[in-house]
Amino acid sequence: MDQPLSTPLDKIKKCIESEQSFVLQGGAGSGKTETLKRAVNYCTERFPNKKIVCITHTNKAVDEIIDRVGTGVEVSTIHSFVGGLVKPYKRNLLKYLPELFCLPLFEELCIEHYGGDDKVRKTEEHNRYKALHETWASRRLIVLQESTEKVTGKREYDKAPSSFNAALNAGIEELNDVVRESFRHHHFKDVAYNDTPFDSFNNATFGHDGLIKIAALLFSNYSNIGKIVRDKYDCIFIDEYQDTDEKIIDSLINFTPEHGLTIGLFGDSEQAIYDDGIGSAIRFIDDGRLKLIEKEDNYRCSPQVIDVANKFRSDGLVQKVGLKEVNGKLEEPEEREGEATFYYSIKPLPPEKPVSPKKRDSDDLKSAYKIAKAKYDVKLKEYKLDLSRRLENLTAFAQADIGEHVLLKLPNKSIARDANFGNLYDLFDGRFRDTREEIRKQLDRLQFGQLTEILQLFDRSSNDNRSYNKLIGLLKKQGFVIKNKQDKRELYSMLEEFSVSDEAAYVVMEHAIKAGLISLSDSHKSFLIRRDRELERFAEDTSFDAFKKLLDHGCNTKKRMCDYLAENDDIDLASVVVEEKYEQLKKDVQSEAFFMGLFGKNIKFKEVMAFFKYENDDSNFMTMHKTKGTGIENVIVVLDEFNWNKYDFGSCFRAEDDNPSRQALTRKLLYVACSRAKKNLRCVRLIEELDEVRNISNYFDNCVHVNLD
């Protein structure tokens, strides 16, 4: 009778021997990467002829795995791995390259899709139409160099949605025909992976996202690709699998032969941080294509922290204390003891909003409402400042006796200021809801991410040969040529100057483009074209300047503007224009301010550098968005989702919620943050009412009320 396999590593060894693909699911601190290293070592010792590749997400992670497993095993980022697989098949790549630039047609969803709610259906259908229209307009700008009329507003759209959808689809089909015809004129030798974030329509090259999409198309349409992967590799191990694009996992599992290849996924579905990652591999586990191996040990956290973190997991995995061996001696359980405490205070009630008068109400009532509304606005501002002060005081109370620690919180204005990109944050916060993600998205479109990567590699290159080689390789791909020592000296002088530049952000970008460090991408070009055309449109709109003057007079609502125009004649604008165009003009003013700010003198390049350092965990400031990896002795988690629709910390402690997807997302974020604490965990939150404490006490045995009045 077979003996039971005692450890996750034993089970992995058995899978490797029988060529059974598997997923190692382990929580924070379970030693997943160490198990990956031991699995590789087992392969190289037991099956020295097996060809192994380890895949991860970033160059930094590649270096860390190489340090663990050595240089005898292929270690690659997911993009380098996939790029190497598809590179030889340029004819096939050219065939499917148009699919990266073609758009899907708009498909109307029936009322049943929206649960029979016609109001919701109308709103969501227009949102979908608007999103696709904007993508189509942006793509037309790249492909045809033509601008597109503004998207139709909801009021007009609701009158004839099918007609507007049909017109949009006709435009999309026309554009797709142009795209496909254009690629017929390219030679297959032109096609290449450009190793940047961007696909290039004009150059017939594809970037990171395009690579993943086109590779999936090749896997699904050519069975030989999967066979070639099987012939090339015996084992493919993917670290942090939950953040690997679902299309790649799907291709490797569905379109490679069942025998002769072992695919091993190492990670934790509860720690997924990328929207396009697979997250969970449960469907492959359920159909038997992956064997689930759970790793329950936690070698990082105290039992008190583990107990809290376990309650936030949704997959049923229950971690337990795993004792580490230090200098040949197993640690004592007492050494791992710590605390997990929740500090809370009750929010004061917000000021009561005055009831808006009706049209038929008297002038006296309307006048009284104006006075009351002005007082309310002042009180609301004071109330929000009071909440910020209370949260700071509550956090300070939790910090009092914990010793050296790290604060984890969602990014906000305070963090941005402390991390030296406050002006940049304010600029985006004035226009977008999801501020941090939009900063990253828009700066990447303008290729600031590429430029800062070059400068960060330069900064490390003097002491790190790998960084130096990556820097030179990156510059070559941009077309920058180093012919002699003088070229190298000039390059280093320029990079050094950029690294400490006090110039405006886009001025530095223009210098980098002129010097050949950055090759202008299609998305960058379309951004600039759209900016110029929008600013030109604002200048030609006679109502635009008048609208801004009304805002300067303190008229920040449609009603206040109309009232001002009725009582004054110093601004040449009709009330009917305000009534009809208020929302559009308001957006236009915000757009102008955004463009002028982003391309003006106030946003310095050093703020852009500071933002990317913060994003890449190279600054002294940490947030819950970036908390995976090595633990920290003492952690204080600040639960404040003010101005965030994406998260709701109150929902984490409720059994059910009216927005289950947001609840699940927030629980994962909180799981990652809490499980970062090695010894002591403290969470702080301002709560609405004492009833919340009952929910919180289901997660934290120790809840402390702090009176801030």
Side-chain angles (χ1 to χ4, degrees):
M1 185 174 179
D2 290 340
Q3 292 295 315
L5 299 172
S6 58
T7 70
L9 183 59
D10 290 334
K11 295 174 184 177
I12 289 173
K13 290 177 180 179
K14 188 71 174 176
C15 286
I16 293 169
E17 291 166 5
S18 60
E19 297 179 348
Q20 164 69 57
S21 294
F22 63 89
V23 54
L24 177 75
Q25 177 84 345
S30 61
K32 296 182 290 295
T33 304
E34 178 63 21
T35 304
L36 169 62
K37 169 195 166 185
R38 294 185 181 187
V40 170
N41 289 341
Y42 171 74
C43 282
T44 54
E45 292 169 8
R46 179 76 171 77
F47 306 102
N49 293 325
K50 280 188 181 289
K51 185 70 186 329
I52 305 161
V53 59
C54 296
I55 301 169
T56 188
H57 292 276
T58 65
N59 289 316
K60 183 178 178 182
V62 166
D63 293 342
E64 290 171 356
I65 291 179
I66 289 173
D67 289 340
R68 292 220 196 181
V69 304
T71 56
V73 174
E74 182 181 341
V75 184
S76 172
T77 63
I78 188 67
H79 291 103
S80 294
F81 170 74
V82 175
L85 290 181
V86 303
K87 185 178 180 180
Y89 310 107
K90 294 201 169 190
R91 291 182 188 273
N92 309 94
L93 289 171
L94 180 59
K95 179 179 178 181
Y96 288 100
L97 194 58
E99 299 309 310
L100 302 184
F101 301 92
C102 290
L103 297 176
L105 298 179
F106 186 89
E107 293 185 15
E108 295 182 20
L109 300 178
C110 62
I111 194 169
E112 285 75 21
H113 179 83
Y114 298 103
D117 191 323
D118 193 48
K119 186 177 180 181
V120 171
R121 181 189 67 82
K122 287 180 177 179
T123 299
E124 291 304 316
E125 285 293 278
H126 181 257
N127 287 340
R128 292 178 58 241
Y129 167 83
K130 181 181 177 183
L132 184 54
H133 187 283
E134 289 173 352
T135 303
W136 171 62
S138 177
R139 195 64 52 83
R140 287 187 83 243
L141 205 54
I142 292 171
V143 174
L144 303 174
Q145 298 293 299
E146 293 178 3
S147 58
T148 307
E149 288 186 7
K150 279 277 185 182
V151 64
T152 304
K154 183 176 180 300
R155 183 182 298 177
E156 286 300 310
Y157 178 81
D158 285 347
K159 293 176 183 177
S162 294
S163 176
F164 285 111
N165 295 341
L168 175 59
N169 283 340
I172 289 173
E173 287 179 329
E174 181 183 356
L175 179 66
N176 289 349
D177 287 343
V178 174
V179 168
R180 293 189 176 100
E181 180 60 30
S182 174
F183 280 104
R184 290 192 185 99
H185 299 290
H186 280 286
H187 194 277
F188 69 87
K189 291 183 179 179
D190 297 336
V191 181
Y193 170 47
N194 58 38
D195 202 15
T196 76
F198 311 103
D199 302 325
S200 175
F201 174 76
N202 292 321
N203 296 332
T205 64
F206 48 91
H208 299 336
D209 292 341
L211 167 64
I212 299 300
K213 184 176 178 180
I214 205 167
L217 287 168
L218 292 188
F219 267 99
S220 62
N221 286 282
Y222 299 103
S223 59
N224 281 343
I225 298 285
K227 292 176 184 176
I228 290 167
V229 172
R230 189 269 316 272
D231 293 342
K232 187 174 183 180
Y233 298 106
D234 298 290
C235 295
I236 298 176
F237 295 147
I238 301 179
D239 197 27
E240 304 290 3
Y241 80 86
Q242 70 277 359
D243 292 326
T244 302
D245 194 288
E246 184 171 8
K247 291 187 284 293
I248 293 303
I249 298 287
D250 192 76
S251 295
L252 290 174
I253 292 175
N254 285 326
F255 300 111
T256 54
E258 289 186 20
H259 303 291
L261 175 66
T262 302
I263 297 169
L265 308 183
F266 296 74
D268 181 8
S269 59
E270 298 294 308
Q271 297 188 66
I273 61 172
Y274 297 122
D275 291 338
D276 57 359
I278 190 172
S280 171
I282 189 67
R283 65 187 174 93
F284 299 117
I285 296 167
D286 288 345
D287 65 19
R289 281 176 291 177
L290 289 178
K291 178 179 177 61
L292 175 63
I293 301 172
E294 293 188 323
K295 200 168 193 310
E296 298 172 342
D297 290 329
N298 184 315
Y299 297 98
R300 176 194 299 169
C301 307
S302 65
Q304 292 80 7
V305 173
I306 293 172
D307 181 59
V308 170
N310 279 338
K311 292 170 183 174
F312 289 120
R313 293 191 68 94
S314 62
D315 63 348
L317 177 70
V318 179
Q319 287 193 286
K320 58 186 180 183
V321 173
L323 298 176
K324 292 178 291 190
E325 192 174 295
V326 181
N327 298 325
K329 183 181 177 184
L330 204 63
E331 66 177 334
E332 296 294 332
E334 297 78 25
E335 297 175 49
R336 289 283 289 279
E337 289 295 315
E339 65 156 275
T341 306
F342 197 99
Y343 292 83
Y344 69 92
S345 186
I346 310 295
K347 287 181 185 178
L349 292 173
E352 190 173 344
K353 190 174 183 178
V355 179
S356 180
K358 297 175 179 154
K359 284 186 178 181
R360 62 177 176 272
D361 286 339
S362 68
D363 290 341
D364 287 344
L365 277 176
K366 291 176 181 176
S367 179
Y369 169 76
K370 281 186 180 180
I371 296 170
K373 179 65 167 61
K375 290 180 179 178
Y376 167 78
D377 290 342
V378 172
K379 287 180 181 178
L380 183 62
K381 187 174 182 180
E382 291 173 348
Y383 174 74
K384 290 178 179 179
L385 288 172
D386 182 46
L387 289 185
S388 296
R389 282 194 295 267
R390 285 171 180 268
L391 187 62
E392 287 177 8
N393 291 339
L394 182 60
T395 303
F397 189 93
Q399 291 175 286
D401 59 350
I402 197 172
E404 189 173 341
H405 63 277
V406 165
L407 275 178
L408 296 180
K409 58 176 78 172
L410 285 172
N412 57 27
K413 289 183 181 181
S414 174
I415 291 177
R417 283 194 298 271
D418 292 343
N420 298 315
F421 61 93
N423 291 328
L424 184 66
Y425 189 95
D426 288 343
L427 176 67
F428 279 81
D429 197 40
R431 189 180 181 199
F432 301 103
R433 295 184 71 86
D434 204 341
T435 308
R436 169 194 159 268
E437 290 186 11
E438 285 296 335
I439 295 176
R440 180 88 198 211
K441 176 182 172 183
Q442 302 299 337
L443 291 185
D444 275 342
R445 283 191 68 188
L446 293 171
Q447 298 177 268
F448 281 110
Q450 286 179 271
L451 181 55
T452 54
E453 182 183 6
I454 288 170
L455 294 175
Q456 286 165 1
L457 286 171
F458 167 70
D459 186 51
R460 297 194 296 267
S461 64
S462 58
N463 301 314
D464 181 1
N465 284 334
R466 285 188 297 207
S467 293
Y468 173 79
N469 292 332
K470 286 172 187 172
L471 170 64
I472 299 304
L474 200 59
L475 292 174
K476 282 183 179 178
K477 285 173 182 174
Q478 291 294 306
F480 189 89
V481 180
I482 303 174
K483 296 179 180 178
N484 49 49
K485 289 183 178 180
Q486 180 60 27
D487 288 345
K488 184 185 283 190
R489 282 194 291 269
E490 289 177 1
L491 169 67
Y492 269 55
S493 175
M494 177 169 50
L495 294 180
E496 197 166 50
E497 186 178 331
F498 286 170
S499 296
V500 296
S501 175
D502 197 40
E503 288 191 284
Y506 202 76
V507 169
V508 174
M509 175 56 70
E510 288 175 322
H511 291 331
I513 293 168
K514 186 176 180 180
L517 294 179
I518 296 293
S519 177
L520 217 58
S521 70
D522 287 349
S523 62
H524 192 150
K525 292 174 188 174
S526 69
F527 193 107
L528 298 181
I529 293 170
R530 185 168 65 85
R531 175 204 63 181
D532 293 343
R533 289 179 178 172
E534 286 288 271
L535 292 175
E536 185 179 337
R537 181 173 65 81
F538 303 156
E540 292 172 352
D541 186 347
T542 55
S543 57
F544 184 76
D545 283 338
F547 188 85
K548 287 202 296 182
K549 287 177 183 177
L550 285 170
L551 290 174
D552 292 340
H553 279 72
C555 303
N556 56 0
T557 67
K558 186 191 297 184
K559 186 177 184 305
R560 288 179 182 175
M561 286 188 176
C562 290
D563 288 346
Y564 184 93
L565 292 172
E567 297 169 5
N568 301 276
D569 59 4
D570 59 329
I571 294 178
D572 185 18
L573 186 64
S575 295
V576 66
V577 175
V578 173
E579 291 283 359
E580 291 177 355
K581 296 177 61 177
Y582 176 80
E583 291 299 332
Q584 183 59 56
L585 285 168
K586 184 179 177 182
K587 288 179 183 176
D588 288 347
V589 169
Q590 290 174 340
S591 294
E592 184 193 49
F594 176 73
F595 287 136
M596 301 305 286
L598 187 57
F599 294 93
K601 296 179 180 179
N602 289 339
I603 304 299
K604 304 295 185 184
F605 182 68
K606 61 186 179 183
E607 287 209 35
V608 172
M609 287 284 288
F611 171 76
F612 280 100
K613 281 185 178 180
Y614 159 85
E615 278 286 287
N616 298 328
D617 277 351
D618 291 331
S619 72
N620 295 322
F621 300 89
M622 302 181 69
T623 80
M624 283 184 278
H625 279 296
K626 293 282 184 178
T627 55
K628 294 200 301 183
T630 308
I632 305 156
E633 194 75 7
N634 303 310
V635 170
I636 296 176
V637 181
V638 182
L639 307 186
D640 172 30
E641 69 280 343
F642 182 64
N643 276 344
W644 285 79
N645 289 327
K646 194 171 181 178
Y647 304 106
D648 176 11
F649 290 116
S651 73
C652 286
F653 306 103
R654 296 192 290 268
E656 296 180 359
D657 190 66
D658 58 0
N659 192 331
S661 59
R662 184 175 62 184
Q663 182 189 47
L665 185 67
T666 313
R667 277 183 173 166
K668 284 185 177 182
L669 182 72
L670 195 49
Y671 168 78
V672 173
C674 290
S675 61
R676 194 68 188 269
K678 284 183 176 180
K679 201 171 196 67
N680 299 312
L681 167 68
R682 294 182 179 180
C683 291
V684 300
R685 177 169 170 78
L686 297 176
I687 64 175
E688 303 283 348
E689 53 188 5
L690 281 172
D691 282 350
E692 278 193 56
V693 180
R694 284 197 292 271
N695 295 330
I696 293 167
S697 63
N698 292 325
Y699 291 78
F700 286 80
D701 292 335
N702 191 18
C703 294
V704 177
H705 175 248
V706 179
N707 188 351
L708 298 174
D709 291 321

